[in-house]
Amino acid sequence: MTSEPAVSEILDRVAAAVASLAPAEGEGRPGRDRLVWINQHIVTGALTCPRSVADGGTYVESAANLRRRVGTYALVETAEAEQSGRPIDNLRAARRVVQEADDLLGSNVASWIEGLAPGGRTAVVVEAAAWMGSVLDTLARSVDEHVSWNWQRPQVWREWTPPGSAVLFRARADALSTNNLRSPALSALIVLDRSADLQRDRIEAGFLAVVSAAVSGLAPRSVALCRVRERRIEPVPVDDALLEAAAAAIVAGVEAKVAGLGASAVPGRHCRWCAVRPVCPDAAPG
Amino acid sequence: MASQPEVRPPLSVLGGRPEGLAVKLRSLGEPREALPIPKAVVELLDESARRVVREPGAGPLRVSKSLLTLLDRCEALALAPAEPSPLTHAMAVGRLVDHSVAFALTRGVVDRPSVVAIAMAEASGDDELLSVLSGSVDTLTEEDQALLEEANSGAARLGTSRPRSVMALAQSSVEVPLGGRRVLLGGRFDVEFLRAGVPGSVGILEVKAGSFRDEHRADGYWYALLAALRDGVAPAWVIGWSPAAGEFDYFDAVHATAAASALVSAARRVSDAIDRLARLNESTEPLEIAVRRSGWWCGGCPLRAGCPLAPASAEGFDRTAAGRDEHDF
């Protein structure tokens, strides 16, 4: 459990540290394009190597990179189809989302999909269908009669810019518990489709909890980690210890992002797939 | 020495068309009694995993199909620094076959499956594959094209056998933590068929571009073990399918005794591997205590130059030479 004074104190501390690391210039809130964006990848990536979160390689769209977004919307399609009494399977649901890319996925993604050769769209469908299928199977195995999950379109992003700072925190929840939609103390679910890393995953849950608390004034009671590779749900209770750990990681993430290539490097196996590798003098060989 | 499989389900070769597989796929939509994973399997693996000592922050000991294969061949080879092996033309065609099957299960038959498979590789950002094939179907041989067409048409027929309640998940990753996460077993199924949340209603399809060797049977048992440990019950079946060579019936839970025995056999192999890896990891000089075995694999081994057992002549690296693969099942 969290105590309200403790949450408030943690948020104040994070805000003060962030405003010091990346202060807002001029009066009023800066535009979004002038903010330092901090998401869960940066906060957890800095745990492994602070320099790895520097602006580096160019983002390249791919079927794999789209699977979570298309898969989430396909889950919405599935739920709507079930409600209308005409259930659809994962492949059909994902195909519908890709067909409606213009409306659902934004113009950039839609034009990327539009430019794919025949077969390319199917690759997007196949990736997303596998993602959503593994999520559905995991949830079906972990039935908790007190919780059902609500998939949302557009995806749920909690955003927070601490006063006096030029930072935009963006934390993603893949689903929210429908039983508590009217309550600010939501339980949230994060789908993890990678190997478990207990420390990193816990910080990701904590990041969502901190940003949610900043937005709504109340931390969620728990964050559920949906480990699809293991087909199990791991509840992470949100308590003061989690928020403290996440707060420290958040500040470290902002510090690393602001320092960019000047941040310290921790070379290792992770250098193999690091976006900063081409410009990092300390990258591990291999 | 790795444990040998004790039970050998029948090998069925029906040609490229997956008729038997279609029947099994349809059966996933029907009620079935799940086969619980034998208690001995869980206990054996948990005991091995709990003996593993890991440095703080080192993460779990990861065990994969390829690591098991390397250990079966030579412990030193398994310890050798993993050098990324270049993608060969045959391997690239194998990946295209996977794409072709995924396409067919989703969309059905297509006129030029090779073109579609390459487009799928492009959308997937598989630059390595595109580089090997110069991003063009022109580099594919007539045999390659025929293989892709057979994969497409066979998998399309299979797709029509899939009950609506059964989902198809391409390239489905699975991980199983053991012994308080000291060990992590991991793998990827080419296609996983399942009914969400229905225990035992899982079918695993392994797609091969080429022919089957008997050693692939151990791979099939490994996939069955992974699914069984993940789910707590055995998968309904594990089948290998090659558009060129037909079906290879690895595992079928209907034959409960044989299936349980196959899981125990696979668990013994994995437990043995964990014990050997733990012994090597605990040593300050693991290469000194590694049990070496020579064979055709010495040809590509990065430790060959300093290895007392590596064959001196090129003949020793020939996979078809007499006495090859004493570890082949």
Side-chain angles (χ1 to χ4, degrees), chain A residues 118-119, chain B residues 95-97 99-100 103 110 112-122 129-130 148:
Chain B
R95 285 195 200 173
L96 289 182
V97 167
H99 283 307
S100 196
F103 182 91
V110 66
R112 297 192 66 195
S114 53
V115 174
V116 161
I118 285 180
M120 291 182 77
E122 280 173 351
L129 182 149
L130 298 170
L148 290 167

Side-chain angles (χ1 to χ4, degrees), chain B residues 11-78:
Chain B
L11 171 70
S12 56
V13 177
L14 303 173
R17 304 284 178 184
E19 272 79 4
L21 183 49
V23 171
K24 291 197 173 184
L25 186 49
R26 279 194 288 272
S27 77
L28 288 183
E30 298 160 5
R32 63 173 54 240
E33 195 169 329
L35 176 69
I37 187 169
K39 201 174 164 191
V41 165
V42 178
E43 288 175 351
L44 179 66
L45 291 171
D46 195 58
E47 280 172 21
S48 283
R50 289 197 182 278
R51 285 196 289 269
V52 172
V53 178
R54 302 296 287 168
E55 295 284 325
L61 175 66
R62 290 172 179 268
V63 178
S64 63
K65 185 185 78 168
S66 56
L67 182 59
L68 289 173
T69 304
L70 291 177
L71 273 173
D72 284 347
R73 289 172 183 161
C74 170
E75 288 183 357
L77 180 61

Side-chain angles (χ1 to χ4, degrees), chain B:
Chain B
M1 177 150 176
S3 305
Q4 302 294 302
E6 293 165 350
V7 176
R8 298 189 168 199
L11 171 70
S12 56
V13 177
L14 303 173
R17 304 284 178 184
E19 272 79 4
L21 183 49
V23 171
K24 291 197 173 184
L25 186 49
R26 279 194 288 272
S27 77
L28 288 183
E30 298 160 5
R32 63 173 54 240
E33 195 169 329
L35 176 69
I37 187 169
K39 201 174 164 191
V41 165
V42 178
E43 288 175 351
L44 179 66
L45 291 171
D46 195 58
E47 280 172 21
S48 283
R50 289 197 182 278
R51 285 196 289 269
V52 172
V53 178
R54 302 296 287 168
E55 295 284 325
L61 175 66
R62 290 172 179 268
V63 178
S64 63
K65 185 185 78 168
S66 56
L67 182 59
L68 289 173
T69 304
L70 291 177
L71 273 173
D72 284 347
R73 289 172 183 161
C74 170
E75 288 183 357
L77 180 61
L79 290 174
E83 293 181 356
S85 53
L87 190 74
T88 64
H89 181 89
M91 290 158 74
V93 171
R95 285 195 200 173
L96 289 182
V97 167
D98 286 342
H99 283 307
S100 196
V101 167
F103 182 91
L105 289 172
T106 310
R107 302 297 304 273
V109 176
V110 66
D111 277 347
R112 297 192 66 195
S114 53
V115 174
V116 161
I118 285 180
M120 291 182 77
E122 280 173 351
S124 302
D126 193 344
D127 295 336
E128 192 184 18
L129 182 149
L130 298 170
S131 168
V132 168
L133 300 178
S134 306
S136 165
V137 294
D138 297 340
T139 53
L140 296 173
T141 65
E142 282 184 20
E143 289 79 15
D144 296 337
Q145 303 262 11
L147 184 69
L148 290 167
E149 281 171 19
E150 192 62 42
N152 178 252
S153 62
R157 286 162 55 110
L158 191 58
T160 61
S161 306
R162 181 170 62 90
R164 184 173 292 194
S165 60
V166 174
M167 296 192 290
L169 279 58
Q171 303 299 314
S172 179
S173 292
V174 52
E175 287 180 349
V176 178
L178 297 173
R181 289 194 181 274
R182 290 178 178 85
V183 173
L184 187 70
L185 310 185
R188 185 180 291 183
F189 306 141
D190 283 341
V191 185
E192 179 175 16
F193 296 100
L194 60 87
R195 289 170 69 195
V198 181
S201 289
V202 168
I204 296 160
L205 173 65
E206 279 306 301
V207 181
K208 290 255 176 264
S211 58
F212 290 106
R213 293 192 299 277
D214 208 29
E215 69 192 40
H216 290 141
R217 190 186 304 273
D219 296 346
Y221 290 177
W222 160 251
Y223 291 126
L225 178 67
L226 277 180
L229 287 168
R230 181 194 66 182
D231 301 345
V233 296
W237 42 262
V238 181
I239 290 186
W241 175 60
S242 161
E247 297 173 55
F248 197 124
D249 206 355
Y250 291 129
F251 179 93
D252 192 331
V254 167
H255 310 296
T257 306
S261 184
L263 291 174
V264 171
S265 169
R268 284 188 187 144
R269 181 180 181 227
V270 173
S271 163
D272 177 63
I274 293 171
D275 290 346
R276 291 158 75 190
L277 288 167
R279 177 178 58 85
L280 293 167
N281 282 349
E282 284 170 25
S283 169
T284 52
E285 298 287 344
L287 281 174
E288 296 298 316
I289 65 166
V291 177
R292 295 170 186 252
R293 306 173 76 91
S294 64
W296 60 265
W297 49 85
C298 295
C301 178
L303 304 175
R304 178 163 58 96
C307 180
L309 292 189
S313 69
E315 189 183 341
F317 305 142
D318 181 0
R319 191 163 189 183
T320 60
R324 73 161 180 105
D325 261 15
E326 59 184 284
H327 262 274
D328 276 4
F329 301 129

Side-chain angles (χ1 to χ4, degrees), chain A residues 76-96:
Chain A
V76 177
E77 292 281 337
T78 306
E80 288 175 354
E82 264 181 20
Q83 281 169 6
S84 68
R86 304 186 64 167
I88 54 174
D89 72 1
N90 60 330
L91 290 169
R92 188 174 294 253
R95 202 183 313 154
R96 276 193 194 173

